[in-house]
């Protein structure tokens, strides 16, 4: 079972969409969180410890993650998906983009 953690700013649109989409795949466990103080689900050290792979939506998220959680990121694979904050929750274009970017990394065919 591969554990995937998806991170964005508010945990309202992109990362919860990714969590929902990839939770449907066999062999994957998913979670999501936000880096902002007022995120729906703020990122915790427990979530980082739980994850096998961490996906961030933007470079700024990777920087903030490294700055605020550095001691907990040892041996963690962090992947930046470069997905801008211009999609709604479960928007078909966002789902397609997430699949295009994440499935090859996981070596899963569409």
């Amino acid at each position: 079972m591969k554990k995937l953690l998806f991170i964005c700013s508010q945990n309202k649109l992109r990362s919860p969409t990714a969590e929902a989409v990839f939770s449907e795949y066999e062999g994957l466990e998913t979670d999501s969180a936000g880096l902002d103080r007022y995120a729906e689900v703020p990122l915790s050290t427990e979530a980082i410890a739980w994850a096998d792979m961490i996906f961030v939506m933007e470079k700024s998220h990777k920087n903030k993650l490294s700055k605020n959680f550095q001691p907990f990121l040892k041996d963690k694979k962090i992947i930046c998906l470069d997905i801008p904050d211009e999609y709604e929750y479960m928007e078909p274009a966002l789902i397609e983009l997430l699949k295009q970017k994440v499935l090859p990394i996981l070596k899963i065919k569409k």
Side-chain angles (χ1 to χ4, degrees):
M1 191 64 81
K2 222 177 239 175
K3 298 173 186 160
L4 312 180
L5 176 61
F6 295 94
I7 298 172
C8 66
S9 300
Q10 299 282 316
N11 191 231
K12 288 183 180 166
L13 305 172
R14 293 172 290 174
S15 59
T17 297
E19 178 184 4
V21 167
F22 296 106
S23 70
E24 301 294 315
Y25 286 79
E26 202 172 309
L28 299 180
E29 277 185 60
T30 61
D31 197 5
S32 67
L35 284 165
D36 289 356
R37 183 178 301 156
Y38 302 109
E40 295 286 313
V41 177
L43 181 60
S44 67
T45 55
E46 291 82 8
I48 293 170
W50 168 86
D52 295 320
M53 296 175 86
I54 300 171
F55 293 89
V56 296
M57 298 297 158
E58 299 174 32
K59 283 186 180 74
S60 63
H61 298 141
K62 191 170 186 173
N63 295 338
K64 197 169 186 178
L65 179 65
S66 295
K67 187 176 147 209
N68 297 338
F69 293 93
Q70 191 57 54
F72 306 97
L73 297 173
K74 190 175 183 290
D75 303 326
K76 292 291 175 181
K77 186 169 186 175
I78 302 166
I79 296 130
C80 181
L81 298 173
D82 284 315
I83 297 177
D85 191 8
E86 54 191 41
Y87 299 96
E88 293 301 316
Y89 178 70
M90 295 304 282
E91 184 178 324
L94 174 57
I95 293 169
E96 186 56 35
L97 189 55
L98 284 163
K99 287 181 178 180
Q100 273 177 16
K101 290 181 176 252
V102 174
L103 292 177
I105 294 166
L106 301 175
K107 296 176 176 59
I108 296 173
K109 296 209 182 337
K110 276 191 179 186

